[in-house]
Amino acid sequence: MPRTTDRFDGASTYIATDDLKIAVNAAIALERPLLIKGEPGTGKTVLAFELAEALGAPLITWHIKSTTKAHQGLYDYDAVSRLRDSQLGEARVHDVRNYLKPGKLWEAFTAPVRPVLLIDEIDKADIEFPNDLLQELDRMEFFVQETDETIKAQVRPIVIITSNNEKELPDAFLRRCFFHYIRFPDAETMQSIVEVHFPGIKPRLVASALKTFYEIRDTPGLKKKPSTSELLDWLKLLLVDDIDPETLRERSPNKLIPPLHGALLKNEQDVHLFERLAFLNRREGARPGG
């Protein structure tokens, strides 16, 4: 049975640190949007799904693109269809509501029970996008000009907003949010995350994989550090191909690039970086007395 409490204590399939749980519960108590930042792949979006599951609440997702406008979260008015129907003599043209398409905020404000509203990757939109939603998120209401009515939330939704920090958000918007930055997991937390996704996985394989993974992340000059989700993809491939932990532990000059590295290294610059390091290692190893 899903829980009906409005307190988040984590989930069996999502490793939430104590400070993240505190942030979630603080935002719920304050009835403020929770703004989550962090590296891509650290579980910002998944948090909303797990929170909804843990609270037994419906989840409403609004994935933001570069072309998304704030008014689309409220509603869209299809004036073109109404004009066409009027020319065809359609009876439905007399009710403007037939041409209103509710957006995600409308859906959240009119939900029969308190939902979790995810506004995902808000920093992808135009810089004015957050400011255009200030009043609606603050007052939890908006006016529909076409029907001369106000859509008001009877119960304030729990709002989760994610950002990859691609652009700065306006101060006025930040003042209305409770903020939390998800730090990249340390090795101990990462091991717990791995065990959730791969129950019963061999400890030696995990230890070797994590050592290699963090060494890659710490490599100077790396353009894109591999994320948690990419580590999980890599581990899945290692299991499918039955890679031996000893293979990962090898540090010979020819084995600097780990097996199935395409799951971890996502651009040619980083692959070339490791190839150069392998070349330099081979050259060092070939020197007399080396």
Side-chain angles (χ1 to χ4, degrees):
M1 277 289 289
R3 288 183 284 168
T4 56
T5 178
D6 277 351
R7 181 171 182 81
F8 181 59
D9 296 316
S12 59
T13 56
Y14 184 85
I15 301 299
T17 58
D18 288 340
D19 58 343
L20 176 56
K21 287 185 280 189
I22 289 170
V24 171
N25 291 318
I28 293 173
L30 292 172
E31 296 189 323
R32 296 278 190 185
L34 175 61
L35 174 61
I36 297 285
K37 290 186 179 182
E39 284 186 35
T42 49
K44 300 185 298 296
T45 300
V46 178
L47 171 64
F49 287 81
E50 296 294 342
L51 176 61
E53 176 72 20
L55 300 184
L59 175 67
I60 298 170
T61 60
W62 187 14
H63 298 291
I64 307 302
K65 302 177 181 178
S66 60
T67 55
T68 304
K69 301 300 180 186
H71 71 83
Q72 293 172 321
L74 309 181
Y75 65 94
D76 271 330
Y77 171 48
D78 193 349
V80 174
S81 292
R82 193 181 190 197
L83 175 61
R84 184 189 62 231
D85 287 350
S86 67
Q87 293 170 340
L88 297 174
E90 296 280 354
R92 68 194 300 268
V93 77
H94 299 294
D95 188 352
V96 69
R97 288 178 175 81
N98 290 324
Y99 305 93
L100 296 180
K101 180 183 178 182
K104 297 299 184 179
L105 266 69
W106 187 325
E107 188 180 338
F109 289 0
T110 57
V113 296
R114 189 181 201 185
V116 173
L117 171 62
L118 168 64
I119 304 177
D120 198 28
E121 297 190 330
I122 194 172
D123 52 325
K124 280 189 175 179
D126 183 86
I127 189 63
E128 291 304 319
F129 180 91
N131 279 336
D132 291 341
L133 287 178
L134 282 180
Q135 180 172 307
E136 288 77 12
L137 288 176
D138 202 28
R139 299 182 181 179
M140 287 290 159
E141 65 179 40
F142 62 90
F143 184 69
V144 183
Q145 293 182 344
E146 290 77 8
T147 59
D148 195 31
E149 64 179 326
T150 298
I151 303 298
K152 184 177 178 64
Q154 299 304 309
V155 180
R156 294 179 71 97
I158 298 170
V159 181
I160 305 294
I161 302 172
T162 72
S163 169
N164 286 327
N165 232 4
E166 291 183 9
K167 60 172 68 80
E168 288 297 320
L169 300 175
D171 287 346
F173 180 79
L174 295 175
R175 282 198 299 272
R176 289 165 169 81
C177 298
F178 191 92
F179 172 76
H180 181 73
Y181 183 85
I182 297 183
R183 293 181 177 84
F184 196 82
D186 58 24
E188 183 178 349
T189 304
M190 190 67 83
Q191 185 167 340
S192 299
I193 293 171
V194 168
E195 288 169 356
V196 164
H197 288 269
F198 302 102
I201 190 173
K202 296 175 182 177
R204 287 172 60 244
L205 177 61
V206 175
S208 297
L210 288 183
K211 185 174 186 298
T212 300
F213 174 75
Y214 281 102
E215 284 176 353
I216 290 175
R217 280 186 57 87
D218 292 340
T219 300
L222 200 66
K223 184 176 181 182
K224 182 197 174 301
K225 295 182 178 182
S227 67
T228 304
S229 59
E230 288 160 339
L231 168 65
L232 296 176
D233 286 345
W234 185 49
L235 278 169
K236 184 176 181 179
L237 292 174
L238 295 178
L239 290 170
V240 168
D241 281 18
D242 197 22
I243 300 295
D244 190 277
E246 297 300 329
T247 304
L248 298 181
R249 279 202 284 265
E250 287 181 358
R251 282 295 175 267
S252 68
N254 296 318
K255 299 283 182 71
L256 275 184
I257 300 183
L260 302 165
H261 63 270
L264 300 175
L265 304 176
K266 295 302 179 70
N267 59 67
E268 63 276 15
Q269 294 96 320
D270 289 342
V271 174
H272 291 160
L273 171 64
F274 274 84
E275 288 174 343
R276 287 196 301 273
L277 291 174
F279 171 75
L280 292 174
N281 257 30
R282 285 196 298 271
R283 193 167 65 177
E284 286 290 325
R287 287 180 180 176

